[in-house]
Amino acid sequence: MIEAVGLTKRYGSKLAVDDLSFTVKPGKVTGFLGPNGAGKSTTMRMMLGLDRPTAGKVLIDGKHYTELKNPLRTLGALVDAKWVHPNRSAYAHLKWMARSNGIPTKRVDEVLDIVGLSEVARRRAGGFSLGMSQRLGIATALLGDPKILMFDEPVNGLDPEGIHWIRRFMQRLAAEGRTVLVSSHLLSEMAQTAEELVVVGRGKLIAQCSTQEFVESSSSTSVKVRSPQADQLGEVLTSNGFAVTRENQQERDTLLVPDGATEQIGELAAKYDCVLHELTVQRASLEEAFMQITGEEVEFSTGSSGAESSGSPGEAPVAAEK
Amino acid sequence: MTLLAIERMKLFTTRSPWWCMFAALLLTVGLGVLYAATAPAEFTVVGATQSGGQLGMMVIMVLAALAVTTEYRFGTIKATFQAVPNRTAVMLAKSGVVAALAFVIGEIAAFLAWGVSYLITGGETLVLDAGHEWRNVAGLGLVYAGAALYALAVGMLVRQSAGAISLVIVWALLVESLVGLLPRVGDDIFDWMPFAAANQFLQGGAPQTPMTSQMPEAPIGPWASLVYFLAVGVALLVIALITVRKRDA
């Protein structure tokens, strides 16, 4: 279990993490979600005792990280896969880390095998691809067979197969009763991996809830209707108080009804003898939910809103309308 | 003990320390032997066989500074502090391992330089039969170990290879001698420069010959000079350890 209480980190005048409080419980994969620069990595570094919080604290099973005896056996972390000397072999890197926490050397071979690096273990880590480096980082995290695991952007640089592997791997770790915290700015990734979410933006906590709740609370649903008599049905729906929009002008037969219910629309269609080819509920994706909620919290926005107000047409970015 | 073992593993599982050790040995022995072998017979004294010591010391300082700065450069210092949150213990262990290594290299290099020179020239003058001669040869390891402490401390403070290496080398090779050139006060300040003190420890008390540098009369004896040299190094290291403890890794 990881508990952050009023965690705050200030770099000069910049507040990187602002009064952040949350808990990460065992047995589930918890996603640590936020746009780039939201303070995720800073928070993780504070969890590991690498950065000192300006205020507040973070407890690992009720203790400060620095108070843990053989910390790798309690908390395994992949914060940056590049924290390896490029001229040292993967094996040598894991060996000294194992030794430092009293972990038997044969565990090194085990974790190398788990992440599939056994064959390249004696090669210098500097020659590893990003994917291999990530795997080595995961091996480092697993070294002490810890109850708590923390991964910062683990799928970065992995191929689809690797992403799939990591996703299942983390779910398996959680199923074994471990606490698993995974940070990401890739929301679709989190939707498939994490059960719980801790959402941050500009260092502040935005939400802590289950992934499903997060999507439901923030997204509006709409109903997609496809009918050869779309124009007629559209009039019927409008006269019954529904707002009707078209997804795009090419598909003349498709209507979108925000806040509609499939039951009512189906009944109306039957009553006015309209043929339906499709009637589906469309739920906003995690991405959209995230954009909606963190809209104001994105640190480096693309400037679409700024361009509107400044009114200089030459600088208007591509993302101006959507 | 575990910490010493892992710092030893970290040091010897990369290539640059090996190169540095090799270079330090080569410079100290090679230059010393060349000097002793080519100088006219009346100049071949024990001190002459150690004339590569200064250069070898520079390489040792490069090794020591790199032992710290490469950890920062590649982020392994974070992996280290993650594995062992007690930063002072980690850095002390690292300093111990590097200083011990510097000592061993210094002793091997000094005796090799002297021994080979002795065999080549077969000179009676090279027999180690006076206290100052023993000090000149056997003392090199102590000076190397002390110099390593300076470089380690600067490495921890600066955290950057190029910066740390230039700082220690420019200091040891240039700044101290330039200070000595200051009018009126220069000589007095020079006496209290740490690397001048180290040199005083090695060469002080030897009879003047054209081959040994013209040493100004030091205010304290050779052994006191060594203590002073090491004490300043330890003080610097303490400041570095406190800094490492306080700041973010």
Side-chain angles (χ1 to χ4, degrees):
Chain A
M1 174 136 115
I2 307 172
E3 275 172 286
V5 186
L7 204 57
T8 305
K9 179 71 187 180
R10 180 185 288 279
Y11 294 111
S13 64
K14 194 180 169 300
L15 209 52
V17 176
D18 188 1
D19 196 19
L20 200 56
S21 300
F22 61 86
T23 50
V24 184
K25 293 193 188 72
K28 284 176 189 161
V29 176
T30 303
F32 192 26
L33 196 60
N36 289 331
K40 300 187 297 291
S41 297
T42 308
T43 305
M44 287 188 154
R45 282 203 306 272
M46 286 193 282
M47 287 177 183
L48 295 172
L50 294 175
D51 285 14
R52 230 165 271 272
T54 311
K57 59 182 174 178
V58 56
L59 299 178
I60 314 298
D61 277 343
K63 279 185 186 164
H64 281 282
Y65 186 83
T66 49
E67 292 164 5
L68 296 172
K69 193 169 181 289
N70 293 331
L72 297 182
R73 292 169 162 223
T74 307
L75 196 166
L78 158 66
V79 181
D80 189 333
K82 290 284 167 205
W83 289 354
V84 180
H85 194 294
N87 285 335
R88 196 174 281 142
S89 71
Y91 183 83
H93 175 73
L94 290 169
K95 196 176 158 196
W96 77 254
M97 290 209 65
R99 179 75 187 267
S100 70
N101 275 244
I103 298 160
T105 310
K106 72 173 199 306
R107 176 71 184 157
V108 171
D109 295 311
E110 278 172 35
V111 293
L112 280 168
D113 197 42
I114 292 173
V115 300
L117 285 181
S118 299
E119 292 191 359
V120 293
R122 307 280 168 172
R123 271 173 36 194
R124 44 186 289 274
F128 280 13
S129 68
L130 190 51
M132 284 155 86
S133 299
Q134 290 283 18
R135 284 169 187 264
L136 176 57
I138 291 163
T140 313
L142 294 174
L143 200 56
D145 196 18
K147 287 198 298 294
I148 305 172
L149 286 140
M150 205 164 83
F151 302 100
D152 195 5
E153 308 271 1
V155 299
N156 260 8
L158 291 188
D159 51 17
E161 192 205 316
I163 292 175
H164 185 67
W165 173 78
I166 283 219
R167 202 181 283 159
R168 286 215 325 218
F169 186 65
M170 286 188 298
Q171 282 161 344
R172 202 171 75 220
L173 289 170
E176 287 168 9
R178 298 176 212 259
T179 309
V180 182
L181 181 67
V182 190
S183 89
S184 183
H185 63 276
L186 296 172
L187 310 134
S188 45
E189 176 55 36
M190 287 292 93
Q192 296 182 66
T193 317
E195 222 178 306
E196 287 282 317
L197 282 183
V198 173
V199 188
V200 290
R202 279 202 194 167
K204 285 199 190 72
L205 184 73
I206 293 173
Q208 169 161 33
C209 54
S210 73
T211 309
Q212 202 186 350
E213 265 180 82
F214 181 70
V215 177
E216 277 173 2
S217 70
S218 57
S219 59
S220 48
T221 54
S222 60
V223 176
K224 184 181 177 188
V225 190
R226 202 152 57 82
S227 161
Q229 294 138 287
D231 291 335
Q232 189 197 338
L233 185 62
E235 276 165 36
V236 169
L237 288 172
T238 316
S239 60
N240 277 280
F242 289 102
V244 178
T245 57
R246 279 215 148 79
E247 198 165 32
N248 56 50
Q249 293 305 314
Q250 281 80 35
E251 296 173 42
R252 298 295 304 173
D253 61 344
T254 307
L255 300 172
L256 273 181
V257 189
D259 302 317
T262 46
E263 295 87 350
Q264 288 171 293
I265 296 169
E267 279 159 21
L268 281 171
K271 195 169 158 188
Y272 291 93
D273 290 326
C274 295
V275 175
L276 291 185
H277 287 171
E278 186 184 349
L279 183 63
T280 46
V281 176
Q282 289 198 316
R283 200 178 289 281
S285 70
L286 190 52
E287 237 92 23
E288 289 166 87
F290 184 75
M291 298 279 269
Q292 208 171 337
I293 288 185
T294 63
E296 316 87 63
E297 307 288 350
V298 178
E299 187 181 26
F300 308 106
S301 75
T302 46
S304 54
S305 55
E308 274 164 23
S309 57
S310 71
S312 57
E315 284 172 19
V318 200
E321 55 187 306
K322 235 179 194 176
Chain B
M1 276 326 282
T2 313
L3 283 179
L4 289 175
I6 66 166
E7 288 303 329
R8 199 198 62 226
M9 285 164 71
K10 279 200 283 186
L11 196 62
F12 291 122
T13 46
T14 59
R15 273 176 305 188
S16 75
W18 289 104
W19 282 110
C20 287
M21 281 157 59
F22 180 67
L25 275 173
L26 192 75
L27 282 172
T28 312
V29 178
L31 266 167
V33 171
L34 268 179
Y35 252 86
T38 52
E42 67 267 31
F43 294 162
T44 35
V45 292
V46 171
T49 68
Q50 302 300 314
S51 43
Q54 191 77 3
L55 268 174
M57 183 174 80
M58 296 303 138
V59 182
I60 290 295
M61 285 166 74
V62 169
L63 183 154
L66 282 180
V68 176
T69 54
T70 52
E71 287 239 49
Y72 281 100
R73 162 77 176 78
F74 297 119
T76 50
I77 196 72
K78 288 167 189 150
T80 305
F81 290 157
Q82 191 186 325
V84 187
N86 186 346
R87 299 181 187 182
T88 307
V90 170
M91 287 307 199
L92 271 179
K94 186 186 285 298
S95 306
V97 168
V98 174
L101 180 69
F103 175 79
V104 172
I105 296 173
E107 292 304 317
I108 295 174
F111 278 100
L112 263 183
W114 167 79
V116 174
S117 306
Y118 181 74
L119 289 178
I120 289 175
T121 60
E124 285 287 299
T125 46
L126 289 187
V127 178
L128 295 178
D129 51 6
H132 69 86
E133 287 172 341
W134 273 104
R135 177 152 41 78
N136 203 339
V137 177
L140 194 65
L142 290 169
V143 170
Y144 277 14
L149 292 185
Y150 284 81
L152 285 160
V154 171
M156 289 175 206
L157 290 168
V158 179
R159 289 185 282 181
Q160 209 215 29
S161 301
I165 290 173
S166 357
L167 206 62
V168 288
I169 288 187
V170 166
W171 177 271
L173 279 183
L174 274 179
V175 176
E176 293 203 348
S177 3
L178 287 179
V179 164
L181 295 179
L182 286 174
R184 287 195 300 129
V185 290
D187 275 353
D188 294 333
I189 305 178
F190 182 76
D191 286 340
W192 295 101
M193 287 285 137
F195 287 91
N199 218 26
Q200 168 67 24
F201 163 68
L202 287 175
Q203 296 178 8
Q208 290 292 331
T209 70
M211 282 301 289
T212 51
S213 48
Q214 295 295 310
M215 298 278 295
E217 197 56 44
I220 48 176
W223 287 101
S225 295
L226 176 72
V227 171
Y228 174 73
F229 173 65
L230 294 179
V232 175
V234 169
L236 205 58
L237 190 64
V238 169
I239 295 170
L241 288 175
I242 293 170
T243 312
V244 167
R245 219 178 130 90
K246 278 197 171 163
R247 74 184 161 204
D248 291 339

